[in-house]
Amino acid sequence: MEHGAHPFSELFEQLGLPADDASIQAFIERHSPLPEDIELADAPFWNRSQAALIRSALEEDADWAEVVDQLNAALRGN
């Protein structure tokens, strides 16, 4: 198991998305605000494997859960 915080760029790489700062910012702007009644893993912009990775990160891996929570907050404008 990995230890320590992961930056957004590593999460985006794991999701198979462009991971440079401009692409990450564009993704957040394009998909914000995510309505509060939609769980992050259920957002319509994820494919099946991306949703599974998000769900798994939140359920099983505290290291990834922190950056997933940060992405969740960013997408909700928090």
Side-chain angles (χ1 to χ4, degrees):
M1 183 165 124
E2 295 178 34
H3 296 283
H6 298 280
F8 266 169
S9 60
E10 285 184 16
L11 176 60
F12 275 68
E13 288 172 1
Q14 289 294 313
L15 292 167
L17 298 170
D20 59 278
D21 289 342
S23 295
I24 291 169
Q25 187 62 36
F27 179 90
I28 291 169
E29 289 174 5
R30 184 170 53 255
H31 297 294
S32 291
L34 183 62
E36 291 295 326
D37 63 334
I38 297 176
E39 295 292 326
L40 179 61
D42 296 330
F45 46 80
W46 302 125
N47 65 36
R48 191 175 297 173
S49 64
Q50 290 168 327
L53 187 145
I54 298 262
R55 200 168 277 111
S56 174
L58 292 172
E59 293 172 356
E60 300 171 13
D61 187 353
D63 288 345
W64 283 108
E66 184 176 331
V67 73
V68 169
D69 286 342
Q70 291 172 2
L71 177 59
N72 186 42
L75 287 166
R76 296 184 196 277
N78 297 335

